[in-house]
Short mmCIF file of all heavy atoms in Angstrom, two decimals:
data_model
loop_
_atom_site.label_atom_id
_atom_site.label_comp_id
_atom_site.label_asym_id
_atom_site.label_seq_id
_atom_site.Cartn_x
_atom_site.Cartn_y
_atom_site.Cartn_z
N LYS A 409 -4.95 4.24 -3.24
CA LYS A 409 -3.88 3.62 -2.47
C LYS A 409 -3.72 2.12 -2.76
O LYS A 409 -2.61 1.61 -2.80
CB LYS A 409 -4.12 3.84 -0.97
CG LYS A 409 -3.80 5.25 -0.49
CD LYS A 409 -3.90 5.35 1.01
CE LYS A 409 -3.32 6.66 1.52
NZ LYS A 409 -1.85 6.69 1.45
N VAL A 410 -4.83 1.44 -2.93
CA VAL A 410 -4.78 0.00 -3.12
C VAL A 410 -4.80 -0.40 -4.60
O VAL A 410 -4.00 -1.23 -5.04
CB VAL A 410 -5.95 -0.69 -2.38
CG1 VAL A 410 -5.91 -2.20 -2.59
CG2 VAL A 410 -5.91 -0.36 -0.89
N ASP A 411 -5.72 0.21 -5.36
CA ASP A 411 -5.85 -0.14 -6.78
C ASP A 411 -4.94 0.66 -7.69
O ASP A 411 -4.98 0.49 -8.91
CB ASP A 411 -7.31 0.03 -7.23
CG ASP A 411 -8.25 -0.89 -6.46
OD1 ASP A 411 -7.79 -1.95 -6.01
OD2 ASP A 411 -9.44 -0.54 -6.32
N LYS A 412 -4.18 1.59 -7.08
CA LYS A 412 -3.16 2.35 -7.81
C LYS A 412 -3.73 3.27 -8.89
O LYS A 412 -3.07 3.56 -9.89
CB LYS A 412 -2.13 1.40 -8.46
CG LYS A 412 -1.51 0.41 -7.50
CD LYS A 412 -0.80 1.09 -6.35
CE LYS A 412 -0.15 0.06 -5.42
NZ LYS A 412 0.48 0.69 -4.24
N LYS A 413 -4.97 3.76 -8.70
CA LYS A 413 -5.49 4.76 -9.62
C LYS A 413 -4.84 6.11 -9.30
O LYS A 413 -4.49 6.39 -8.16
CB LYS A 413 -7.01 4.86 -9.49
CG LYS A 413 -7.76 3.56 -9.75
CD LYS A 413 -7.43 2.97 -11.10
CE LYS A 413 -8.14 1.63 -11.29
NZ LYS A 413 -7.65 0.93 -12.52
N GLN A 414 -4.70 6.93 -10.32
CA GLN A 414 -4.06 8.23 -10.12
C GLN A 414 -5.06 9.29 -9.66
O GLN A 414 -4.74 10.12 -8.81
CB GLN A 414 -3.40 8.70 -11.42
CG GLN A 414 -2.20 7.88 -11.84
CD GLN A 414 -1.53 8.46 -13.07
OE1 GLN A 414 -1.72 9.64 -13.40
NE2 GLN A 414 -0.75 7.65 -13.76
N VAL A 415 -6.25 9.26 -10.23
CA VAL A 415 -7.25 10.29 -9.96
C VAL A 415 -8.62 9.64 -9.85
O VAL A 415 -8.97 8.77 -10.65
CB VAL A 415 -7.28 11.35 -11.10
CG1 VAL A 415 -8.30 12.43 -10.78
CG2 VAL A 415 -5.92 11.94 -11.35
N VAL A 416 -9.39 10.08 -8.85
CA VAL A 416 -10.77 9.61 -8.72
C VAL A 416 -11.67 10.81 -8.46
O VAL A 416 -11.41 11.62 -7.57
CB VAL A 416 -10.94 8.59 -7.58
CG1 VAL A 416 -12.41 8.14 -7.48
CG2 VAL A 416 -10.05 7.37 -7.80
N ALA A 417 -12.73 10.91 -9.24
CA ALA A 417 -13.74 11.94 -9.01
C ALA A 417 -14.79 11.39 -8.07
O ALA A 417 -15.40 10.35 -8.35
CB ALA A 417 -14.39 12.35 -10.33
N VAL A 418 -14.98 12.05 -6.93
CA VAL A 418 -16.00 11.65 -5.95
C VAL A 418 -17.23 12.52 -6.20
O VAL A 418 -17.20 13.73 -5.96
CB VAL A 418 -15.50 11.82 -4.51
CG1 VAL A 418 -16.58 11.37 -3.52
CG2 VAL A 418 -14.22 11.03 -4.29
N VAL A 419 -18.29 11.90 -6.67
CA VAL A 419 -19.50 12.63 -7.05
C VAL A 419 -20.61 12.35 -6.04
O VAL A 419 -20.96 11.20 -5.80
CB VAL A 419 -19.98 12.20 -8.46
CG1 VAL A 419 -21.21 12.99 -8.87
CG2 VAL A 419 -18.86 12.37 -9.48
N CYS A 420 -21.14 13.41 -5.43
CA CYS A 420 -22.31 13.27 -4.55
C CYS A 420 -23.45 14.05 -5.19
O CYS A 420 -23.49 15.28 -5.13
CB CYS A 420 -22.00 13.78 -3.15
SG CYS A 420 -20.99 12.61 -2.20
N PRO A 421 -24.39 13.35 -5.85
CA PRO A 421 -25.43 13.99 -6.64
C PRO A 421 -26.52 14.63 -5.80
O PRO A 421 -26.60 14.46 -4.58
CB PRO A 421 -26.00 12.84 -7.47
CG PRO A 421 -25.06 11.70 -7.31
CD PRO A 421 -24.42 11.89 -5.97
N MET A 422 -27.38 15.33 -6.51
CA MET A 422 -28.54 15.95 -5.88
C MET A 422 -29.58 14.88 -5.55
O MET A 422 -29.84 13.98 -6.35
CB MET A 422 -29.16 16.98 -6.82
CG MET A 422 -30.35 17.71 -6.25
SD MET A 422 -31.02 18.92 -7.41
CE MET A 422 -31.85 17.86 -8.58
N ALA A 423 -30.16 14.96 -4.36
CA ALA A 423 -31.21 14.01 -3.97
C ALA A 423 -32.47 14.26 -4.78
O ALA A 423 -32.69 15.36 -5.32
CB ALA A 423 -31.51 14.14 -2.48
N SER A 424 -33.33 13.25 -4.84
CA SER A 424 -34.55 13.32 -5.63
C SER A 424 -35.75 13.36 -4.68
O SER A 424 -36.30 12.33 -4.31
CB SER A 424 -34.64 12.10 -6.55
OG SER A 424 -35.83 12.08 -7.28
N PHE A 425 -36.14 14.55 -4.26
CA PHE A 425 -37.22 14.68 -3.27
C PHE A 425 -38.60 14.62 -3.93
O PHE A 425 -38.80 15.11 -5.03
CB PHE A 425 -37.09 16.01 -2.52
CG PHE A 425 -35.86 16.11 -1.68
CD1 PHE A 425 -34.93 17.11 -1.90
CD2 PHE A 425 -35.61 15.19 -0.67
CE1 PHE A 425 -33.78 17.21 -1.13
CE2 PHE A 425 -34.47 15.28 0.11
CZ PHE A 425 -33.55 16.28 -0.12
N HIS A 426 -39.53 14.01 -3.20
CA HIS A 426 -40.92 13.97 -3.65
C HIS A 426 -41.80 13.90 -2.40
O HIS A 426 -41.31 13.57 -1.29
CB HIS A 426 -41.16 12.77 -4.56
CG HIS A 426 -40.71 11.46 -4.00
ND1 HIS A 426 -41.48 10.70 -3.16
CD2 HIS A 426 -39.54 10.79 -4.14
CE1 HIS A 426 -40.83 9.61 -2.82
NE2 HIS A 426 -39.65 9.63 -3.39
N PRO A 427 -43.08 14.22 -2.52
CA PRO A 427 -43.94 14.32 -1.33
C PRO A 427 -43.94 13.08 -0.44
O PRO A 427 -43.90 13.20 0.79
CB PRO A 427 -45.33 14.58 -1.94
CG PRO A 427 -45.05 15.27 -3.22
CD PRO A 427 -43.80 14.63 -3.74
N MET A 428 -43.99 11.89 -1.03
CA MET A 428 -44.07 10.68 -0.21
C MET A 428 -42.81 10.51 0.65
O MET A 428 -42.90 10.17 1.83
CB MET A 428 -44.26 9.44 -1.09
CG MET A 428 -44.49 8.16 -0.29
SD MET A 428 -44.92 6.75 -1.35
CE MET A 428 -43.35 6.47 -2.19
N MET A 429 -41.64 10.77 0.07
CA MET A 429 -40.41 10.66 0.83
C MET A 429 -40.38 11.67 1.98
O MET A 429 -40.07 11.33 3.12
CB MET A 429 -39.18 10.89 -0.06
CG MET A 429 -37.86 10.93 0.72
SD MET A 429 -36.49 11.57 -0.25
CE MET A 429 -36.19 10.17 -1.32
N LEU A 430 -40.71 12.91 1.67
CA LEU A 430 -40.69 13.96 2.69
C LEU A 430 -41.67 13.65 3.82
O LEU A 430 -41.37 13.84 5.00
CB LEU A 430 -41.01 15.32 2.06
CG LEU A 430 -39.97 15.85 1.06
CD1 LEU A 430 -40.51 17.09 0.36
CD2 LEU A 430 -38.66 16.16 1.76
N HIS A 431 -42.85 13.15 3.45
CA HIS A 431 -43.85 12.86 4.48
C HIS A 431 -43.42 11.68 5.35
O HIS A 431 -43.63 11.69 6.57
CB HIS A 431 -45.20 12.56 3.82
CG HIS A 431 -46.35 12.57 4.78
ND1 HIS A 431 -46.69 13.68 5.52
CD2 HIS A 431 -47.24 11.59 5.15
CE1 HIS A 431 -47.73 13.41 6.29
NE2 HIS A 431 -48.08 12.15 6.09
N SER A 432 -42.83 10.68 4.73
CA SER A 432 -42.38 9.52 5.51
C SER A 432 -41.31 9.92 6.51
O SER A 432 -41.26 9.39 7.63
CB SER A 432 -41.87 8.42 4.58
OG SER A 432 -40.68 8.83 3.92
N LEU A 433 -40.45 10.86 6.13
CA LEU A 433 -39.40 11.30 7.04
C LEU A 433 -39.95 12.14 8.20
O LEU A 433 -39.39 12.14 9.29
CB LEU A 433 -38.33 12.10 6.27
CG LEU A 433 -37.48 11.27 5.30
CD1 LEU A 433 -36.58 12.19 4.48
CD2 LEU A 433 -36.64 10.24 6.05
#
Side-chain angles (χ1 to χ4, degrees):
K409 284 187 169 287
V410 179
D411 298 333
K412 307 301 182 184
K413 301 305 177 189
Q414 292 185 19
V415 182
V416 179
V418 181
V419 182
C420 284
M422 181 179 75
S424 177
F425 295 121
H426 52 85
M428 186 173 69
M429 174 193 286
L430 294 171
H431 194 60
S432 67
L433 291 174

